[in-house]
Amino acid sequence: MVRRTGFDPDGCGRMNSIAENEKSRPNAPPLRRFEAEFLRPYRWPIALGLCGLLVQSVLLLPIPLLQGWVVDRLVGYVRASGGGGTETAVVNPSVVAVARAAAARAIGLALAATIGLHAVRTLLAWRIAAMMGRISQEVVVAMRGALHRKLMRLPMAYFDAQQTGRLMARVTSDVGSILMFIRSGVLQVLNDLISSLAIAVLLAWLEWRLALVALVAVPLYAVNQRVFFGRLRRLSDEIRAQVAALYALLSERISAVRVVRSFAKEDDELDELDRRIDRHRALNWANTRASAALAGLATVISGVGTVFVIAYGIVLVGRGVLTVGELLAIYALVGQLYQPIVRLTQFQATAISTQVSIERLYEIFDEPEPVRDRPGALAIPQPRGAIEYRGVSFAYTPDGARLLCDIDLKIEPGTHLGIVGPSGAGKSTLLALLPRLYDLPDGTDETGRGWGSIHLDGTDVRDLRLADLRRAVALVPQQALLFEGSIRTNLLYANPEATEEQMWDALRIADLAATVAALPAGLDSTVAERGDSLSGGQRQRMALARAIVAQPTVLLLDDCTSSLDAETEARIQQSLERGLPGRTFVIVSHKVSSVRRADHILVLEAGSVVEHGTHDDLIALGGHYAETHRQQTAALTTVE
Ligand code: ATP
């Protein structure tokens, strides 16, 4: 069955559940799993196609026999009419007439049968190609869907460690190579195997000694395959990896084209791209050479096998065991026997490359998938917005250093918390833990220290239903990423049920309503990929409006108004308070002006809280916050 795991927009990871998943990881080889999960639903159409192909192959078998039959009739006619070196004293006209009629009948029949057989074969080939084309498309759609769902379920840590381009290569190029294989290869391979067997049996029935001579070539084919297998496998691995590296470079450089241009690095980038393309071409060339050598040797083996068959066949004709026509029929059948075997050899490179692609895709499918909700996870019917961090520590990797150390903090519902601190202090990390973009591990580290817990309205966030948690808590990240589409589709992404009025309200709060209203298409104006058609500040405000449309109880603003001037920022904060009354806000910023209105302010340094209190408390304390305030105010005064 195709796995229908359902769309899941979450990517949180929990270390204990990763271990559980690893235990349940299927051990079957990827090829078998691919067959079971993606091909088996089509087993009946595929079986039908296979039957069709077999009929196609079987229809070929009478043709050599007919040709042999025609040749024997012609030989009979030539002999009857005194030709062919036969010492016939008297040519009997009636015998000649009978032989001529027999030969003419044989030719007519053979011609009609050959045309008829080929017509049926063509019809079958057309139907089978159409059916396999459809099946391969459906398999690819199912595979891409399953991959997409799987990627959506993987933890953030997975994406932190992966280049987007490499993932893209798997979803496009690897799946594409599987598509080609199913469309043009899989049935042909099965058919070739079965039809070679059928021809071998027919040969043995016609003349077992010649069949034995013909089959001597088979072990030679096997040795040939074996010799090339390792090399082709290695080359396929490298080619797939090289394609992924190429995709990675392209996707990175295209998305950062402004950086490339601003450093005038176009030529360097082209050189790098050329180098990778050359490497890819060299590998492909080596692969083509190896496949050609393999196929060439296979053809030589067929040639030698055929020569042996003919030589021994002539001996048998000489002994009167075989007629010339039978020898010719056997010769044609031997050709038909070798053809599929040579084709199988030629197909080996494609089959290996498809196998490599399937294995690479199963590397993604086998990635441990965090359990989304714990058993008995709790719903949040009416979130209030009380947040508590209890002794929270965090490291991005299990053996990495702790970037947050024993953070305790409590935020009452409906209040505002400001967080300031130097770059790299851990402010974004602290926010990302609340909606469980990263999960706090259970248990303790190797030194026996725990990781703490985070609570929403008194419940550990890991015990809540993730979908409910993410509805209650909205995070507006530092980098405002928008999707290609209209302003409307971007806003509806956060809340598909949002009304027109709610969307305009959100835009008003984000101080973007006037800008959108002035656009000719209003809400339906297009936002380009990555939102490049908007200014940095407009993008940030769009991302904020999108979060507001979701009507969260807790809004986490991760330095998301950094591109705005202090006046606009203050206006937006006031609108937020008015437009979303009673909500809990956490505002991360480098600017003291962004957090000074907060009910409580934390100063974070190197993952620890070093100061906390209200703006006035912290100014009075005369510590880091007061110093930052002094410097920022002085800088503003100097600018003015
Ligand atoms: P800034 O003000 O510059 O945004 P920040 O205070 O928000 O910084 P974080 O983004 O939380 O700091 O980063 C804290 C530390 O964690 C940094 O040393 C950073 O290198 C590291 N870090 C951040 N994200 C990841 C990640 N996905 N994987 C590994 N380390 C990370």
Side-chain angles (χ1 to χ4, degrees):
M1 272 297 290
V2 176
R3 284 190 295 187
R4 296 269 174 221
T5 42
F7 178 77
D8 174 5
D10 313 312
C12 63
R14 182 176 296 168
M15 293 182 190
N16 63 334
S17 46
I18 287 174
E20 279 162 25
N21 266 299
E22 268 171 352
K23 264 186 254 159
S24 64
R25 183 185 287 188
N27 291 322
L31 266 181
R32 190 154 339 135
R33 288 166 58 199
F34 172 71
E35 185 278 318
E37 292 168 8
F38 294 100
L39 288 185
R40 207 168 287 169
Y42 302 98
R43 59 188 176 284
W44 296 119
I46 289 178
L48 198 70
L50 188 58
C51 291
L53 267 184
L54 281 178
V55 171
Q56 240 193 315
S57 302
V58 167
L59 290 181
L60 260 186
L61 298 184
I63 294 175
L65 300 179
L66 280 169
Q67 287 165 347
W69 181 59
V70 168
V71 168
D72 280 344
R73 296 287 89 69
L74 283 174
V75 168
Y77 168 62
V78 170
R79 280 188 182 150
S81 51
T86 318
E87 300 298 321
T88 320
V90 184
V91 175
N92 185 338
S94 64
V95 172
V96 173
V98 169
R100 189 195 304 127
R105 215 174 23 249
I107 291 174
L109 259 172
L111 203 66
T114 306
I115 292 172
L117 290 172
H118 278 304
V120 176
R121 277 171 49 78
T122 310
L123 203 70
L124 275 173
W126 169 65
R127 285 303 306 143
I128 294 167
M131 187 187 71
M132 287 313 286
R134 184 179 57 78
I135 290 177
S136 58
Q137 287 298 342
E138 285 178 11
V139 168
V140 162
V141 167
M143 274 205 98
R144 291 216 166 108
L147 261 178
H148 183 236
R149 283 190 292 279
K150 177 74 194 187
L151 286 172
M152 289 299 112
R153 299 178 80 89
L154 287 177
M156 287 298 292
Y158 178 78
F159 297 96
D160 291 344
Q162 290 284 334
Q163 279 178 296
T164 317
R166 286 180 195 273
L167 290 177
M168 292 299 296
R170 295 193 183 186
V171 178
T172 53
S173 163
D174 283 328
V175 173
S177 99
I178 296 170
L179 167 81
M180 291 302 295
F181 182 76
I182 300 172
R183 191 157 57 199
S184 56
V186 76
L187 276 192
Q188 192 61 54
V189 168
L190 289 172
N191 173 58
D192 282 349
L193 284 171
I194 298 172
S195 57
S196 338
L197 207 71
I199 295 170
V201 171
L202 183 62
L203 272 176
W205 175 70
L206 284 173
E207 176 46 65
W208 64 272
R209 281 161 292 199
L210 276 184
L212 271 185
V213 173
L215 289 176
V216 163
V218 172
L220 295 177
Y221 285 123
V223 171
N224 190 27
Q225 301 270 113
R226 186 109 206 102
V227 168
F228 282 91
F229 181 84
R231 180 162 173 68
L232 283 170
R233 166 84 219 199
R234 225 176 13 261
L235 283 167
S236 284
D237 270 334
E238 284 183 45
I239 289 171
R240 305 298 340 154
Q242 198 61 32
V243 168
L246 209 72
Y247 268 72
L249 181 80
L250 274 175
S251 95
E252 223 173 74
R253 297 310 191 266
I254 289 172
S255 51
V257 68
R258 280 170 196 238
V259 180
V260 174
R261 297 247 164 108
S262 59
F263 286 102
K265 286 282 185 190
E266 288 95 330
D267 289 342
D268 291 349
E269 289 303 335
L270 279 176
D271 287 348
E272 178 58 27
L273 194 65
D274 282 348
R275 261 195 300 280
R276 293 205 189 182
I277 289 173
D278 276 348
R279 173 95 189 106
H280 182 238
R281 193 176 42 204
L283 284 168
N284 260 326
W285 177 223
N287 194 46
T288 309
R289 276 200 317 261
S291 326
L294 170 71
L297 277 173
T299 311
V300 170
I301 294 170
S302 333
V304 172
T306 311
V307 167
F308 279 132
V309 168
I310 301 240
Y312 189 51
I314 289 172
V315 172
L316 291 180
V317 171
R319 284 187 200 153
V321 177
L322 278 182
T323 65
V324 176
E326 282 167 345
L327 177 61
L328 278 178
I330 288 173
Y331 168 69
L333 281 173
V334 169
Q336 281 188 20
L337 170 75
Y338 289 155
Q339 249 175 34
I341 301 182
V342 173
R343 218 173 16 237
L344 280 173
T345 327
Q346 287 165 340
F347 207 68
Q348 189 176 356
T350 319
I352 291 173
S353 133
T354 308
Q355 186 182 351
V356 170
S357 291
I358 290 174
E359 285 170 6
R360 283 161 55 86
L361 288 175
Y362 272 88
E363 279 170 20
I364 298 184
F365 284 131
D366 284 344
E367 275 298 321
E369 199 177 291
V371 173
R372 188 170 187 254
D373 287 328
R374 283 181 173 173
L378 301 167
I380 320 176
Q382 295 274 301
R384 289 185 305 115
I387 301 164
E388 195 177 349
Y389 283 57
R390 294 185 194 156
V392 168
S393 298
F394 184 71
Y396 276 101
T397 49
D399 47 356
R402 290 185 171 215
L403 296 163
L404 295 177
C405 307
D406 288 325
I407 305 259
D408 286 306
L409 85 94
K410 210 167 172 174
I411 313 171
E412 295 301 332
T415 60
H416 296 192
L417 174 78
I419 304 179
V420 286
S423 183
K427 305 181 294 294
S428 303
T429 308
L430 191 72
L431 289 199
L433 293 175
L434 177 59
R436 288 177 55 196
L437 294 185
Y438 298 88
D439 256 341
L440 289 178
D442 288 322
T444 57
D445 65 8
E446 66 279 3
T447 64
R449 287 190 302 166
W451 299 96
S453 55
I454 300 174
H455 301 256
L456 177 70
D457 296 340
T459 310
D460 189 324
V461 288
R462 290 165 297 185
D463 292 329
L464 294 171
R465 276 200 219 150
L466 200 52
D468 287 8
L469 174 68
R470 302 261 169 92
R471 255 195 302 276
V473 179
L475 170 70
V476 189
Q478 253 168 334
Q479 246 192 337
L481 285 174
L482 304 176
F483 295 115
E484 194 197 349
S486 62
I487 293 176
R488 183 191 300 279
T489 52
N490 269 282
L491 293 177
L492 289 177
Y493 189 80
N495 177 7
E497 269 110 49
T499 61
E500 189 102 354
E501 200 187 333
Q502 283 170 328
M503 286 190 261
W504 281 110
D505 277 348
L507 289 169
R508 249 188 302 278
I509 294 173
D511 201 32
L512 202 62
T515 314
V516 174
L519 295 171
L523 278 179
D524 294 310
S525 311
T526 328
V527 176
E529 196 185 351
R530 303 193 312 277
D532 281 353
S533 55
L534 301 175
S535 76
Q538 285 169 337
R539 269 207 310 276
Q540 287 197 330
R541 281 179 284 164
M542 258 301 290
L544 179 60
R546 185 171 58 190
I548 296 167
V549 161
Q551 290 287 312
T553 308
V554 179
L555 194 55
L556 308 176
L557 307 176
D558 186 2
D559 213 4
C560 66
T561 47
S562 57
S563 302
L564 305 181
D565 59 88
E567 205 178 305
T568 313
E569 196 179 20
R571 201 165 54 237
I572 290 177
Q573 281 193 11
Q574 282 163 10
S575 317
L576 274 171
E577 284 161 24
R578 272 198 310 275
L580 298 174
R583 308 304 210 281
T584 307
F585 288 95
V586 182
I587 302 160
V588 160
S589 182
H590 288 111
K591 293 183 278 183
V592 166
S593 62
S594 310
V595 297
R596 62 177 299 158
R597 295 160 47 83
D599 301 301
H600 203 80
I601 299 165
L602 288 188
V603 181
L604 206 63
E605 257 183 38
S608 299
V609 177
V610 290
E611 292 171 20
H612 65 96
T614 61
H615 173 76
D616 292 340
D617 293 342
L618 294 176
I619 294 292
L621 189 70
H624 176 94
Y625 181 87
E627 176 57 18
T628 312
H629 180 250
R630 193 190 59 73
Q631 283 172 2
Q632 288 180 357
T633 317
L636 271 181
T637 319
T638 315
V639 171
E640 278 158 18

